[in-house]
Every structure is written in C-alpha cells, then in structure tokens.
Amino acid sequence: MELKGKVAVITGGAHRVGREITLGLARKGCDVLIHFHASGDNANLTRAEAEGAGVKAFSASADLRSPAEVVELF
C-alpha cells in the first residue's frame, strides 16, 4: 500500500508503541498527526524525528474522554 501523500492520526503517538507506529508510517512517507494527552515533550520529540524522515508532522493534545475535544482534534 502506497502511503506517500496520505495522512495518519495516531492516538497516543508520542511514546511507546504509538511512537513506533508514528515513526514507521513516517518512514513510509505518510504525514502524521501525533495525538497526546499529557506527553507534550515526548510528542515534540517524536514529531521532530518524523519530520526527519521528510514528512509533515504535527502534534495535538486532546482528552479522548471528551467528545468536544475529539471533534476539535479531527
């Protein structure tokens, strides 16, 4: 599957398994939106590493227990 030019939203993408998923997608050419709740520093580090793979990367905080914040995230 060609991922170049696609965009993925990775919930919990700042660290641990989410980070590895984020970076794997970025290495395949997928632009990424890294969701985090309280791990802003980790999200920024992951974002910088994803950008190093040559893709667009963004990070955004949201509490996924809040429907309004979920809507705002997307």
Side-chain angles (χ1 to χ4, degrees):
M1 174 183 216
E2 177 63 38
L3 296 178
K4 189 171 177 97
K6 305 282 186 190
V7 179
V9 177
I10 304 93
T11 57
H15 57 97
R16 296 189 299 260
V17 173
R19 177 182 182 278
E20 294 305 315
I21 291 169
T22 298
L23 296 177
L25 290 167
R27 288 184 199 109
K28 296 285 187 175
C30 189
D31 296 329
V32 292
L33 171 60
I34 303 157
H35 157 265
F36 66 95
H37 183 219
S39 302
D41 291 340
N42 288 333
N44 288 332
L45 292 171
T46 302
R47 180 176 41 89
E49 193 167 343
E51 289 172 337
V55 300
K56 294 177 187 171
F58 307 91
S59 57
S61 176
D63 181 347
L64 298 182
R65 297 171 294 181
S66 166
E69 289 190 37
V70 172
V71 168
E72 189 173 327
L73 176 66
F74 285 90

